[in-house]
Amino acid sequence: IPLSDLEQSLSQLSPEDTHLIYCRSGVRSLKATSFLNAKGFNAINLEGGIIEWEKEHGPGTEKKQSGGGCNVY
């Protein structure tokens, strides 16, 4: 979900679930996580984003995304 569309997409998310939020570097996902938590969702940011994840877990784990999105799971 692109960060700019997150507010309009809240109905797609269950407030009962825990949501892992990530992006490439962790900046957009931090904004999305803060927004979701303020709206009563349980959201967790992947600190450092996919860049840091790949440093710890190896290359080839990055999911391609388009247009400044944050991934919400």
Side-chain angles (χ1 to χ4, degrees):
I1 300 171
L3 185 57
S4 61
D5 295 342
L6 187 55
E7 188 167 9
Q8 296 81 18
S9 301
L10 291 179
S11 64
Q12 297 176 29
L13 306 175
S14 170
E16 308 295 321
D17 294 334
T18 299
H19 302 280
L20 174 63
I21 315 300
Y22 69 93
C23 66
R24 184 173 179 274
S25 68
V27 175
R28 290 181 309 256
S29 60
L30 180 59
K31 291 176 185 178
T33 300
S34 296
F35 173 78
L36 289 170
N37 287 335
K39 294 288 186 181
F41 290 88
N42 184 17
I44 301 169
N45 182 47
L46 180 61
E47 190 173 327
I50 292 299
I51 292 171
E52 289 300 317
W53 176 267
E54 282 192 321
K55 285 180 185 176
E56 291 183 31
H57 300 282
T61 57
E62 181 175 1
K63 178 181 178 184
K64 300 298 179 196
Q65 45 181 307
S66 61
C70 290
N71 294 293
V72 180
Y73 290 94

